[in-house]
Every structure is written in structure tokens, then in C-alpha cells.
CSV table of all heavy atoms in Angstrom, one decimal:
chain,number,residue,atom,x,y,z
A,1043,ARG,N,-18.5,0.3,12.4
A,1043,ARG,CA,-17.0,0.4,12.7
A,1043,ARG,C,-16.2,0.5,11.5
A,1043,ARG,O,-15.2,1.3,11.5
A,1043,ARG,CB,-16.6,-0.9,13.5
A,1043,ARG,CG,-17.1,-0.9,14.9
A,1043,ARG,CD,-16.6,-2.1,15.6
A,1043,ARG,NE,-17.1,-2.2,16.9
A,1043,ARG,CZ,-17.0,-3.2,17.7
A,1043,ARG,NH1,-16.4,-4.3,17.3
A,1043,ARG,NH2,-17.5,-3.2,19.0
A,1044,GLN,N,-16.5,-0.2,10.4
A,1044,GLN,CA,-15.7,-0.1,9.2
A,1044,GLN,C,-15.8,1.3,8.6
A,1044,GLN,O,-14.8,1.9,8.2
A,1044,GLN,CB,-16.1,-1.1,8.2
A,1044,GLN,CG,-15.3,-1.2,6.9
A,1044,GLN,CD,-13.8,-1.6,7.3
A,1044,GLN,OE1,-13.6,-2.5,8.1
A,1044,GLN,NE2,-12.9,-0.9,6.6
A,1045,HIS,N,-17.0,1.9,8.6
A,1045,HIS,CA,-17.2,3.2,8.1
A,1045,HIS,C,-16.4,4.2,8.9
A,1045,HIS,O,-15.7,5.1,8.4
A,1045,HIS,CB,-18.7,3.6,8.1
A,1045,HIS,CG,-18.9,5.0,7.8
A,1045,HIS,ND1,-18.8,5.5,6.5
A,1045,HIS,CD2,-19.4,6.0,8.5
A,1045,HIS,CE1,-19.1,6.8,6.5
A,1045,HIS,NE2,-19.5,7.1,7.7
A,1046,ARG,N,-16.4,4.1,10.3
A,1046,ARG,CA,-15.7,5.0,11.1
A,1046,ARG,C,-14.2,4.9,11.0
A,1046,ARG,O,-13.4,5.8,10.9
A,1046,ARG,CB,-16.0,4.8,12.6
A,1046,ARG,CG,-17.5,5.1,13.0
A,1046,ARG,CD,-17.7,6.6,12.8
A,1046,ARG,NE,-16.9,7.3,13.8
A,1046,ARG,CZ,-17.0,8.6,14.1
A,1046,ARG,NH1,-18.1,9.2,13.7
A,1046,ARG,NH2,-16.2,9.2,14.9
A,1047,GLU,N,-13.7,3.6,10.8
A,1047,GLU,CA,-12.3,3.4,10.6
A,1047,GLU,C,-11.8,3.9,9.3
A,1047,GLU,O,-10.7,4.5,9.3
A,1047,GLU,CB,-12.0,1.9,10.7
A,1047,GLU,CG,-10.6,1.5,10.6
A,1047,GLU,CD,-10.3,0.0,10.7
A,1047,GLU,OE1,-11.0,-0.6,11.6
A,1047,GLU,OE2,-9.5,-0.5,10.0
A,1048,ASP,N,-12.6,3.8,8.3
A,1048,ASP,CA,-12.2,4.4,7.0
A,1048,ASP,C,-12.1,5.9,7.1
A,1048,ASP,O,-11.1,6.5,6.5
A,1048,ASP,CB,-13.2,4.0,5.9
A,1048,ASP,CG,-13.2,2.5,5.6
A,1048,ASP,OD1,-12.2,1.8,5.9
A,1048,ASP,OD2,-14.2,2.0,5.0
A,1049,ARG,N,-13.0,6.5,7.8
A,1049,ARG,CA,-13.0,8.0,7.9
A,1049,ARG,C,-11.7,8.4,8.7
A,1049,ARG,O,-11.1,9.4,8.4
A,1049,ARG,CB,-14.2,8.5,8.6
A,1049,ARG,CG,-15.4,8.6,7.7
A,1049,ARG,CD,-16.6,9.1,8.3
A,1049,ARG,NE,-16.4,10.3,9.1
A,1049,ARG,CZ,-17.3,10.7,10.0
A,1049,ARG,NH1,-18.4,10.0,10.2
A,1049,ARG,NH2,-17.0,11.8,10.7
A,1050,LEU,N,-11.4,7.6,9.8
A,1050,LEU,CA,-10.2,7.9,10.6
A,1050,LEU,C,-9.0,7.8,9.8
A,1050,LEU,O,-8.1,8.6,9.9
A,1050,LEU,CB,-10.2,7.0,11.9
A,1050,LEU,CG,-11.0,7.5,13.0
A,1050,LEU,CD1,-11.0,6.4,14.1
A,1050,LEU,CD2,-10.6,8.8,13.6
A,1051,VAL,N,-8.8,6.7,9.1
A,1051,VAL,CA,-7.6,6.5,8.3
A,1051,VAL,C,-7.5,7.6,7.2
A,1051,VAL,O,-6.4,8.1,7.0
A,1051,VAL,CB,-7.7,5.1,7.6
A,1051,VAL,CG1,-6.6,4.9,6.6
A,1051,VAL,CG2,-7.6,4.0,8.7
A,1052,ALA,N,-8.6,8.0,6.6
A,1052,ALA,CA,-8.5,9.1,5.6
A,1052,ALA,C,-8.1,10.4,6.1
A,1052,ALA,O,-7.4,11.2,5.5
A,1052,ALA,CB,-9.9,9.2,4.9
A,1053,THR,N,-8.5,10.7,7.4
A,1053,THR,CA,-8.1,12.0,8.0
A,1053,THR,C,-6.9,11.9,8.9
A,1053,THR,O,-6.6,12.9,9.5
A,1053,THR,CB,-9.3,12.5,8.8
A,1053,THR,OG1,-9.7,11.6,9.8
A,1053,THR,CG2,-10.5,12.7,7.9
A,1054,ALA,N,-6.3,10.8,9.1
A,1054,ALA,CA,-5.2,10.6,10.0
A,1054,ALA,C,-4.0,11.5,9.5
A,1054,ALA,O,-3.7,11.6,8.4
A,1054,ALA,CB,-4.8,9.1,10.1
A,1055,LYS,N,-3.3,12.0,10.5
A,1055,LYS,CA,-2.1,12.8,10.3
A,1055,LYS,C,-1.0,11.9,10.0
A,1055,LYS,O,-0.9,10.8,10.5
A,1055,LYS,CB,-1.8,13.7,11.5
A,1055,LYS,CG,-2.8,14.6,11.9
A,1055,LYS,CD,-2.4,15.3,13.2
A,1055,LYS,CE,-3.5,16.2,13.7
A,1055,LYS,NZ,-3.2,16.7,15.0
A,1056,THR,N,-0.1,12.3,9.1
A,1056,THR,CA,1.1,11.5,8.9
A,1056,THR,C,2.1,11.8,9.9
A,1056,THR,O,2.4,12.9,10.3
A,1056,THR,CB,1.7,11.8,7.5
A,1056,THR,OG1,2.0,13.2,7.4
A,1056,THR,CG2,0.7,11.4,6.4
A,1057,THR,N,2.7,10.7,10.4
A,1057,THR,CA,3.8,10.9,11.4
A,1057,THR,C,5.1,11.1,10.8
A,1057,THR,O,5.3,10.9,9.6
A,1057,THR,CB,3.8,9.6,12.3
A,1057,THR,OG1,4.2,8.5,11.4
A,1057,THR,CG2,2.5,9.3,12.9
A,1058,PRO,N,6.1,11.6,11.5
A,1058,PRO,CA,7.4,11.8,10.9
A,1058,PRO,C,8.0,10.5,10.3
A,1058,PRO,O,8.6,10.6,9.3
A,1058,PRO,CB,8.3,12.3,12.1
A,1058,PRO,CG,7.3,12.9,13.0
A,1058,PRO,CD,6.0,12.1,12.9
A,1059,ALA,N,7.7,9.4,11.0
A,1059,ALA,CA,8.2,8.1,10.4
A,1059,ALA,C,7.6,7.8,9.1
A,1059,ALA,O,8.2,7.4,8.1
A,1059,ALA,CB,7.9,7.0,11.4
A,1060,ASP,N,6.3,8.1,8.9
A,1060,ASP,CA,5.6,7.9,7.7
A,1060,ASP,C,6.1,8.8,6.6
A,1060,ASP,O,6.3,8.4,5.4
A,1060,ASP,CB,4.1,8.2,7.8
A,1060,ASP,CG,3.4,7.2,8.7
A,1060,ASP,OD1,3.9,6.1,8.8
A,1060,ASP,OD2,2.3,7.5,9.2
A,1061,ARG,N,6.4,10.1,7.0
A,1061,ARG,CA,7.0,11.0,6.0
A,1061,ARG,C,8.4,10.6,5.5
A,1061,ARG,O,8.7,10.7,4.4
A,1061,ARG,CB,7.0,12.4,6.6
A,1061,ARG,CG,5.6,13.1,6.7
A,1061,ARG,CD,5.7,14.5,7.0
A,1061,ARG,NE,6.3,14.8,8.3
A,1061,ARG,CZ,5.6,14.9,9.5
A,1061,ARG,NH1,4.3,14.8,9.5
A,1061,ARG,NH2,6.2,15.2,10.6
A,1062,ARG,N,9.2,10.1,6.5
A,1062,ARG,CA,10.5,9.6,6.1
A,1062,ARG,C,10.4,8.4,5.2
A,1062,ARG,O,11.1,8.3,4.2
A,1062,ARG,CB,11.3,9.2,7.4
A,1062,ARG,CG,11.9,10.4,8.1
A,1062,ARG,CD,12.9,9.9,9.1
A,1062,ARG,NE,12.3,9.1,10.2
A,1062,ARG,CZ,11.8,9.5,11.3
A,1062,ARG,NH1,11.8,10.8,11.5
A,1062,ARG,NH2,11.3,8.7,12.2
A,1063,GLN,N,9.5,7.5,5.5
A,1063,GLN,CA,9.3,6.3,4.6
A,1063,GLN,C,8.9,6.7,3.2
A,1063,GLN,O,9.4,6.2,2.3
A,1063,GLN,CB,8.3,5.4,5.3
A,1063,GLN,CG,8.1,4.1,4.6
A,1063,GLN,CD,9.3,3.2,4.6
A,1063,GLN,OE1,10.1,3.3,5.6
A,1063,GLN,NE2,9.5,2.3,3.7
A,1064,LYS,N,7.9,7.6,3.2
A,1064,LYS,CA,7.5,8.1,1.9
A,1064,LYS,C,8.6,8.8,1.1
A,1064,LYS,O,8.7,8.5,-0.1
A,1064,LYS,CB,6.3,9.0,2.1
A,1064,LYS,CG,5.5,9.3,0.8
A,1064,LYS,CD,4.3,10.2,1.1
A,1064,LYS,CE,3.5,10.4,-0.1
A,1064,LYS,NZ,2.2,11.2,0.2
A,1065,ALA,N,9.4,9.6,1.8
A,1065,ALA,CA,10.5,10.3,1.1
A,1065,ALA,C,11.5,9.3,0.6
A,1065,ALA,O,12.1,9.5,-0.5
A,1065,ALA,CB,11.1,11.3,2.1
A,1066,LEU,N,11.8,8.3,1.4
A,1066,LEU,CA,12.7,7.3,1.0
A,1066,LEU,C,12.3,6.5,-0.2
A,1066,LEU,O,13.0,6.3,-1.2
A,1066,LEU,CB,12.9,6.3,2.2
A,1066,LEU,CG,14.0,5.2,1.9
A,1066,LEU,CD1,15.3,5.8,1.7
A,1066,LEU,CD2,14.0,4.2,3.1
A,1067,ILE,N,11.0,6.2,-0.3
A,1067,ILE,CA,10.4,5.5,-1.5
A,1067,ILE,C,10.5,6.4,-2.7
A,1067,ILE,O,11.0,6.0,-3.8
A,1067,ILE,CB,9.0,5.1,-1.2
A,1067,ILE,CG1,8.9,4.0,-0.2
A,1067,ILE,CG2,8.3,4.7,-2.5
A,1067,ILE,CD1,7.5,3.7,0.3
A,1068,VAL,N,10.2,7.7,-2.6
A,1068,VAL,CA,10.3,8.6,-3.7
A,1068,VAL,C,11.7,8.8,-4.1
A,1068,VAL,O,12.0,8.8,-5.4
A,1068,VAL,CB,9.7,10.0,-3.3
A,1068,VAL,CG1,10.0,11.1,-4.3
A,1068,VAL,CG2,8.2,9.9,-3.1
A,1069,GLU,N,12.6,8.9,-3.2
A,1069,GLU,CA,14.1,9.0,-3.5
A,1069,GLU,C,14.6,7.8,-4.2
A,1069,GLU,O,15.3,7.9,-5.2
A,1069,GLU,CB,14.8,9.2,-2.2
A,1069,GLU,CG,16.3,9.6,-2.5
A,1069,GLU,CD,17.0,9.9,-1.2
A,1069,GLU,OE1,16.5,10.7,-0.4
A,1069,GLU,OE2,18.1,9.3,-0.9
A,1070,THR,N,14.2,6.6,-3.8
A,1070,THR,CA,14.6,5.3,-4.4
A,1070,THR,C,14.1,5.2,-5.8
A,1070,THR,O,14.8,4.8,-6.7
A,1070,THR,CB,14.1,4.1,-3.6
A,1070,THR,OG1,14.6,4.3,-2.2
A,1070,THR,CG2,14.6,2.8,-4.1
A,1071,GLU,N,12.8,5.6,-6.0
A,1071,GLU,CA,12.2,5.6,-7.4
A,1071,GLU,C,13.0,6.6,-8.3
A,1071,GLU,O,13.2,6.3,-9.4
A,1071,GLU,CB,10.8,5.9,-7.3
A,1071,GLU,CG,9.9,4.8,-6.7
A,1071,GLU,CD,8.5,5.2,-6.5
A,1071,GLU,OE1,8.1,6.4,-6.7
A,1071,GLU,OE2,7.7,4.3,-6.1
A,1072,ALA,N,13.3,7.8,-7.8
A,1072,ALA,CA,14.0,8.8,-8.6
A,1072,ALA,C,15.4,8.3,-9.0
A,1072,ALA,O,15.8,8.4,-10.1
A,1072,ALA,CB,14.1,10.1,-7.8
A,1073,ALA,N,16.1,7.6,-8.0
A,1073,ALA,CA,17.4,7.1,-8.3
A,1073,ALA,C,17.3,6.0,-9.3
A,1073,ALA,O,18.2,5.9,-10.2
A,1073,ALA,CB,18.0,6.6,-7.0
A,1074,ALA,N,16.3,5.1,-9.2
A,1074,ALA,CA,16.2,4.0,-10.2
A,1074,ALA,C,15.9,4.6,-11.6
A,1074,ALA,O,16.4,4.1,-12.6
A,1074,ALA,CB,15.1,3.1,-9.8
A,1075,LYS,N,15.1,5.6,-11.7
A,1075,LYS,CA,14.7,6.3,-12.9
A,1075,LYS,C,16.0,6.9,-13.5
A,1075,LYS,O,16.3,6.8,-14.7
A,1075,LYS,CB,13.6,7.3,-12.7
A,1075,LYS,CG,13.2,7.9,-14.0
A,1075,LYS,CD,12.0,8.9,-13.7
A,1075,LYS,CE,11.6,9.6,-15.0
A,1075,LYS,NZ,10.5,10.6,-14.7
A,1076,LYS,N,16.8,7.6,-12.7
A,1076,LYS,CA,18.0,8.2,-13.2
A,1076,LYS,C,19.0,7.2,-13.7
A,1076,LYS,O,19.6,7.4,-14.7
A,1076,LYS,CB,18.6,9.1,-12.1
A,1076,LYS,CG,19.7,10.0,-12.5
A,1076,LYS,CD,20.1,10.9,-11.4
A,1076,LYS,CE,21.1,12.0,-11.8
A,1076,LYS,NZ,21.4,12.9,-10.8
A,1077,GLU,N,19.1,6.1,-12.9
A,1077,GLU,CA,20.0,5.0,-13.3
A,1077,GLU,C,19.6,4.4,-14.7
A,1077,GLU,O,20.4,4.1,-15.5
A,1077,GLU,CB,20.0,3.9,-12.3
A,1077,GLU,CG,21.0,2.8,-12.5
A,1077,GLU,CD,22.4,3.3,-12.4
A,1077,GLU,OE1,22.7,4.2,-11.7
A,1077,GLU,OE2,23.3,2.6,-13.1
A,1078,ALA,N,18.3,4.2,-14.9
A,1078,ALA,CA,17.8,3.7,-16.1
A,1078,ALA,C,18.1,4.6,-17.3
A,1078,ALA,O,18.5,4.2,-18.4
A,1078,ALA,CB,16.3,3.4,-16.0
A,1079,GLU,N,17.9,5.9,-17.1
A,1079,GLU,CA,18.2,6.9,-18.1
A,1079,GLU,C,19.7,6.9,-18.4
A,1079,GLU,O,20.1,7.0,-19.6
A,1079,GLU,CB,17.8,8.3,-17.6
A,1079,GLU,CG,16.3,8.5,-17.6
A,1079,GLU,CD,15.9,9.9,-17.0
A,1079,GLU,OE1,16.8,10.6,-16.6
A,1079,GLU,OE2,14.7,10.2,-16.9
A,1080,LEU,N,20.5,6.8,-17.4
A,1080,LEU,CA,22.0,6.7,-17.6
A,1080,LEU,C,22.4,5.5,-18.4
A,1080,LEU,O,23.2,5.6,-19.4
A,1080,LEU,CB,22.7,6.8,-16.3
A,1080,LEU,CG,24.2,6.8,-16.3
A,1080,LEU,CD1,24.7,8.1,-17.0
A,1080,LEU,CD2,24.8,6.7,-14.9
A,1081,ILE,N,21.8,4.4,-18.1
A,1081,ILE,CA,22.1,3.1,-18.9
A,1081,ILE,C,21.6,3.3,-20.3
A,1081,ILE,O,22.3,2.9,-21.2
A,1081,ILE,CB,21.4,1.9,-18.2
A,1081,ILE,CG1,22.1,1.6,-16.9
A,1081,ILE,CG2,21.3,0.7,-19.1
A,1081,ILE,CD1,21.4,0.6,-16.0
A,1082,GLU,N,20.4,3.9,-20.5
A,1082,GLU,CA,19.9,4.1,-21.9
A,1082,GLU,C,20.9,5.0,-22.7
A,1082,GLU,O,21.1,4.8,-23.8
A,1082,GLU,CB,18.5,4.7,-21.8
A,1082,GLU,CG,17.8,4.8,-23.1
A,1082,GLU,CD,17.5,3.4,-23.7
A,1082,GLU,OE1,17.3,2.4,-23.0
A,1082,GLU,OE2,17.6,3.3,-24.9
A,1083,LYS,N,21.3,6.1,-22.0
A,1083,LYS,CA,22.3,7.0,-22.7
A,1083,LYS,C,23.6,6.3,-23.1
A,1083,LYS,O,24.1,6.5,-24.1
A,1083,LYS,CB,22.6,8.2,-21.8
A,1083,LYS,CG,21.5,9.2,-21.7
A,1083,LYS,CD,22.0,10.4,-20.8
A,1083,LYS,CE,20.9,11.4,-20.7
A,1083,LYS,NZ,21.3,12.6,-19.8
A,1084,ARG,N,24.1,5.5,-22.1
A,1084,ARG,CA,25.3,4.7,-22.4
A,1084,ARG,C,25.1,3.8,-23.6
A,1084,ARG,O,26.0,3.6,-24.5
A,1084,ARG,CB,25.7,3.9,-21.2
A,1084,ARG,CG,26.3,4.8,-20.1
A,1084,ARG,CD,26.8,4.0,-18.9
A,1084,ARG,NE,27.3,4.9,-17.9
A,1084,ARG,CZ,27.5,4.5,-16.7
A,1084,ARG,NH1,27.2,3.3,-16.3
A,1084,ARG,NH2,28.0,5.4,-15.8
A,1085,LYS,N,24.0,3.1,-23.6
A,1085,LYS,CA,23.7,2.2,-24.7
A,1085,LYS,C,23.6,2.9,-26.1
A,1085,LYS,O,24.1,2.5,-27.1
A,1085,LYS,CB,22.3,1.4,-24.5
A,1085,LYS,CG,22.4,0.3,-23.5
A,1085,LYS,CD,21.1,-0.4,-23.3
A,1085,LYS,CE,21.1,-1.5,-22.3
A,1085,LYS,NZ,19.8,-2.1,-22.2
A,1086,LYS,N,22.9,4.1,-26.0
A,1086,LYS,CA,22.8,4.9,-27.2
A,1086,LYS,C,24.1,5.4,-27.7
A,1086,LYS,O,24.4,5.3,-28.9
A,1086,LYS,CB,21.8,6.1,-26.9
A,1086,LYS,CG,21.4,6.8,-28.2
A,1086,LYS,CD,20.4,7.9,-27.8
A,1086,LYS,CE,20.0,8.7,-29.0
A,1086,LYS,NZ,19.0,9.7,-28.7
A,1087,ALA,N,25.0,5.9,-26.8
A,1087,ALA,CA,26.3,6.3,-27.1
A,1087,ALA,C,27.2,5.2,-27.7
A,1087,ALA,O,27.9,5.4,-28.7
A,1087,ALA,CB,27.0,7.0,-25.9
A,1088,ALA,N,27.1,4.0,-27.1
A,1088,ALA,CA,27.8,2.9,-27.6
A,1088,ALA,C,27.3,2.5,-29.0
A,1088,ALA,O,28.2,2.1,-29.9
A,1088,ALA,CB,27.7,1.7,-26.6
A,1089,ALA,N,26.0,2.5,-29.2
A,1089,ALA,CA,25.5,2.2,-30.5
A,1089,ALA,C,26.0,3.2,-31.6
A,1089,ALA,O,26.3,2.9,-32.7
A,1089,ALA,CB,24.0,2.1,-30.5
A,1090,GLU,N,25.9,4.5,-31.2
A,1090,GLU,CA,26.4,5.6,-32.1
A,1090,GLU,C,27.9,5.4,-32.4
A,1090,GLU,O,28.3,5.6,-33.6
A,1090,GLU,CB,26.1,7.0,-31.5
A,1090,GLU,CG,24.7,7.3,-31.5
A,1090,GLU,CD,24.4,8.7,-30.8
A,1090,GLU,OE1,25.4,9.3,-30.3
A,1090,GLU,OE2,23.2,9.1,-30.7
């Protein structure tokens, strides 16, 4: 059963809800990265 379940999970199609969730996570990570870069630029500009 475990072997069959692993195979099913590996080949399972992604649902629209899964794709939205994944896109939201990627978007959140990109926004956090952009915010960190902006803070770094502001610190650098303030130091200069």
C-alpha cells in the first residue's frame, strides 16, 4: 500500500487550488526578497 500510495502521489495531477497555493507562496517569497533588497539599498544609501 505504501509503495502504491507513493506512486500515486508522485503522479498526481495538481489541482487549481494547489497551483494557486504554490503561486501565492512563490509570490510571497519574491515580495520578501524584493523587500530585503530594498532595505539593503536604503541602508547602503544611508551609510554612503
Side-chain angles (χ1 to χ4, degrees):
R1043 283 183 183 168
Q1044 186 63 41
H1045 174 71
R1046 293 294 299 196
E1047 185 177 316
D1048 292 344
R1049 282 181 48 198
L1050 278 176
V1051 169
T1053 61
K1055 298 176 190 170
T1056 56
T1057 63
D1060 293 338
R1061 289 192 294 269
R1062 279 194 298 272
Q1063 184 69 24
K1064 192 173 184 179
L1066 183 62
I1067 290 170
V1068 169
E1069 187 177 311
T1070 304
E1071 289 173 354
K1075 185 178 179 182
K1076 192 172 184 179
E1077 183 69 26
E1079 289 174 358
L1080 183 62
I1081 289 171
E1082 190 63 35
K1083 283 182 183 179
R1084 286 180 181 167
K1085 284 182 181 178
K1086 190 175 181 180
E1090 288 175 0

